[in-house]
Amino acid sequence: MAKSPVNQLLYDGLQVLQHRGQDAAGIVTGEGNTFHMHKANGLVRDVFRTRDMRNLLGNMGIAHVRYPTAGSASSSAEAQPFYVNSPFGIVLGHNGNLTNTEQLQEDLFRQDLRHVNTSSDSEVLLNVLAHELQENVSNHRLDPAAVFAAVAGVHRRCRGAYAVVAMIAGYGLIAFRDPFGIRPLVIGYCDTEQGREYLVASESVALDVLGFKMLRDVAPGEAILVDVEGNFHSQQCAASASLNPCIFEYVYLARPDSVIDGVSVYESRLRMGESLAEKIRTDFGHLKIDVVIPIPDTSRPSALQLANALGVPYREGFIKNRYIGRTFIMPGQAMRKKSVRQKLNAIGIEFQGKNVLLVDDSIVRGTTSQQIVQMAREAGATQVFFASAAPPVRYPNVYGIDMPTLQELLATGRNDEQIAREIGADALIYQNLDALERAVRMANPAIACFDTSCFDGRYITGDITPEYLAKIEHARNTPRPSGDSSSSKQLDLNLAREE
């Protein structure tokens, strides 16, 4: 067990990874056999006050920020981590999305005799883990073999994407990743005078900022266990496992200073810009581009490298209000539309009388793209071209990213010319999927396959049917009573520390 409290470290970790979710935040610490929890809706800085931090006692803990991808974003009941008191007392944080939640809920109720209090699949996952621990423990005593057998049971029962950290009261910390390795999970260490401490997080940037060294990524299907004495255990718990990281992490979600599955996010975005430049030279050589302007912040590396490759000036044409949240994460299309003008403002001198190439990381709904093109024209641009570092998003994402329904996706049922007209651009350049995969794989050739389902409709878990997608579409588009959190799901930070 660590010799110092972890509450401040967990808080700082959440601040570093606030970009992964802005809807709710929570921290649980472990002090002996006692858990201390505080969680609520809002940003990290608003959820935790000094009095809350003082109550988070203990030398191990987990923390989480919520990112809602469907249903209600107002239910504080679905803020994580979740807690269950049997067996032993367990808290859990989850990044991803289960795809067989309904079946698991029924099995938990009818077979496992467990009650799930919310509609969150993260609470379902917690109860599956709790049941499997109960089934595998002998004489009411935990050991690594029982923990790993329980995680193997989770892998057999749960489908979809999940990177998980959990804490067992008085015993230790568990972290594991789904057998396809869709969502990221890294582990780091820090050697102190008192011994070695471990930290697990969604992105390596948390390790850097908190003073930990990168140990490695948690492997697909693998489970990590650190007990209260500081003993480190790991074991592959899936019958078959393969690495298929979500490529959208590199396009948009992750911070550029993170390294995920051996790939520098920043380097991959530079290469996306290079391949976009090559496509422009080959297929759009007739365009007269005077200036390349990124749409801040995620697209900056791609735009910079694109401009360098084309020999065109790179300029910052939009100023971002850093106190407005990322529009992609905001719940509700009305709020998303309202926020764009509050978030960005054009610098007229960079647009006046110029043919401008705007570069963004991706186009999902097109709401932001359309308004930004209009802003560029109002600022005096002669022509406005638009480049996307990612291919057209044409399919729902079911693994934990907020793009679940076909009708919300601008590219569904439209070709490039139609999309260009929809957003008001004079020309539209999309990244090719093979070029995107190549841009990421160049940093780690060992990655044979990515989750690219939102671009090509290939769902690597093999259980996504047209009926399943239709059910998601119906649930997404059905109005719900105020306060009903049905179908709510989150993409989160998983952060934990123990010596």
Side-chain angles (χ1 to χ4, degrees):
M1 184 177 295
K3 302 300 182 182
S4 61
V6 294
N7 50 359
Q8 185 67 53
L9 181 140
L10 293 171
Y11 177 89
D12 293 342
L14 287 184
Q15 289 274 39
V16 171
L17 295 180
Q18 180 75 85
H19 63 283
R20 296 192 69 87
Q22 300 173 353
D23 181 54
I27 293 177
V28 178
T29 57
E31 183 188 25
N33 292 321
T34 302
F35 288 141
H36 303 282
M37 177 186 293
H38 181 74
K39 58 181 183 177
N41 287 348
L43 298 173
V44 174
R45 68 182 183 221
D46 300 322
V47 168
F48 298 98
R49 302 297 184 185
T50 302
R51 61 181 178 273
D52 305 316
M53 298 299 293
R54 286 173 177 163
N55 292 330
L56 294 171
L57 305 173
N59 297 340
M60 65 177 184
I62 65 176
H64 180 277
V65 285
R66 182 175 69 176
Y67 160 50
T69 59
S72 171
S74 62
S75 174
S76 59
E78 296 198 9
Q80 296 190 45
F82 281 105
Y83 165 74
V84 69
N85 68 355
S86 175
F88 312 112
I90 309 169
V91 287
L92 175 144
H94 164 218
N95 172 7
N97 192 59
L98 300 185
T99 56
N100 63 336
T101 303
E102 287 190 7
Q103 183 62 51
L104 288 170
Q105 285 174 321
E106 184 174 341
D107 292 346
L108 285 168
F109 181 73
R110 298 187 182 282
Q111 299 175 21
D112 302 344
L113 305 180
R114 283 188 166 270
H115 174 249
V116 178
N117 199 48
T118 71
S119 297
S120 171
D121 62 347
S122 302
E123 189 184 9
V124 170
L125 199 157
L126 168 60
N127 276 273
V128 171
L129 174 63
H131 176 79
E132 293 299 321
L133 279 169
Q134 189 168 313
E135 290 293 297
N136 285 281
V137 74
S138 60
N139 298 322
H140 307 289
R141 294 184 64 85
L142 272 175
D143 57 31
V147 170
F148 293 138
V151 174
V154 172
H155 290 331
R156 286 192 298 271
R157 297 179 63 178
C158 295
R159 304 300 299 267
Y162 49 94
V164 174
V165 287
M167 189 165 53
I168 303 174
Y171 184 72
L173 177 85
I174 310 170
F176 57 92
R177 197 173 177 192
D178 73 75
F180 292 94
I182 300 171
R183 301 255 67 87
L185 197 64
V186 300
I187 184 165
Y189 69 95
C190 180
D191 288 324
T192 70
E193 292 181 359
Q194 293 79 24
R196 175 165 289 191
E197 300 177 344
Y198 292 97
L199 183 143
V200 180
S202 290
E203 296 184 34
S204 66
V205 64
L207 310 182
D208 301 336
V209 172
L210 298 177
F212 283 70
K213 296 179 181 179
M214 179 76 165
L215 182 61
R216 59 181 174 85
D217 296 275
V218 177
E222 183 186 27
I224 302 293
L225 168 64
V226 184
D227 62 30
V228 292
E229 283 79 32
N231 300 308
F232 180 91
H233 309 269
S234 66
Q235 183 172 306
Q236 176 56 250
C237 298
S240 61
S242 61
L243 180 59
N244 306 267
C246 172
I247 206 163
F248 215 74
E249 290 278 353
Y250 303 98
V251 170
Y252 173 81
L253 282 173
R255 273 181 46 156
D257 44 347
S258 283
V259 177
I260 297 175
D261 289 312
V263 176
S264 162
V265 175
Y266 180 76
E267 180 184 352
S268 69
R269 290 176 184 170
L270 290 177
R271 296 190 187 280
M272 291 174 205
E274 292 174 2
S275 56
L276 263 180
E278 180 61 32
K279 183 171 183 178
I280 291 172
R281 279 194 296 263
T282 303
D283 299 337
F284 295 86
H286 60 284
L287 299 182
K288 184 180 183 303
I289 302 170
D290 296 320
V291 62
V292 173
I293 293 178
I295 298 171
D297 288 314
T298 322
S299 65
R300 280 196 173 109
S302 296
L304 178 62
Q305 199 73 347
L306 185 155
N308 289 337
L310 292 180
V312 175
Y314 168 92
R315 293 288 187 270
E316 293 286 344
F318 294 103
I319 297 300
K320 182 178 181 181
N321 181 350
R322 300 187 182 279
Y323 300 97
I324 298 290
R326 296 170 85 174
T327 57
F328 181 85
I329 293 180
M330 286 184 175
Q333 189 73 351
M335 186 184 298
R336 201 174 277 115
K337 289 180 179 178
K338 178 182 178 182
S339 71
V340 176
R341 291 281 181 161
Q342 298 171 336
K343 181 179 176 181
L344 293 177
N345 190 44
I347 302 174
I349 193 173
E350 297 296 353
F351 294 90
Q352 188 68 44
K354 297 177 183 178
N355 295 338
V356 177
L357 175 62
L358 302 179
V359 181
D360 206 352
D361 53 77
S362 59
I363 305 172
V364 181
R365 296 168 180 85
T367 305
T368 301
S369 305
Q370 183 182 55
Q371 295 190 47
I372 288 176
V373 169
Q374 183 180 345
M375 290 169 64
R377 293 199 187 281
E378 291 172 357
T382 303
Q383 288 187 298
V384 181
F385 314 127
F386 202 101
S388 168
V393 177
R394 300 190 187 279
Y395 300 92
N397 184 286
V398 299
Y399 300 129
I401 296 178
D402 185 17
M403 53 177 79
T405 66
L406 289 171
Q407 73 173 27
E408 291 184 299
L409 302 177
L410 179 64
T412 301
R414 296 183 177 94
N415 59 32
D416 290 4
E417 291 74 19
Q418 291 170 324
I419 297 170
R421 286 197 298 271
E422 191 71 22
I423 67 174
D426 295 294
L428 175 64
I429 304 102
Y430 272 116
Q431 184 85 266
N432 293 336
L433 181 56
D434 58 347
L436 174 61
E437 293 189 45
R438 189 164 55 249
V440 181
R441 186 179 290 117
M442 286 179 73
N444 183 5
I447 302 178
C449 185
F450 296 92
D451 165 45
T452 57
S453 53
C454 59
F455 303 125
D456 59 12
R458 288 179 54 252
Y459 296 98
I460 57 175
T461 54
D463 59 335
I464 305 304
T465 63
E467 293 76 20
Y468 179 88
L469 295 176
K471 185 178 292 186
I472 291 178
E473 187 99 15
H474 176 74
R476 176 86 171 191
N477 296 326
T478 301
R480 299 188 180 277
S482 176
D484 181 3
S485 60
S486 298
S487 301
S488 180
K489 183 63 207 84
Q490 48 276 355
L491 179 87
D492 52 30
L493 150 73
N494 292 321
L495 184 66
R497 181 207 193 192
E498 179 167 345
E499 184 180 37

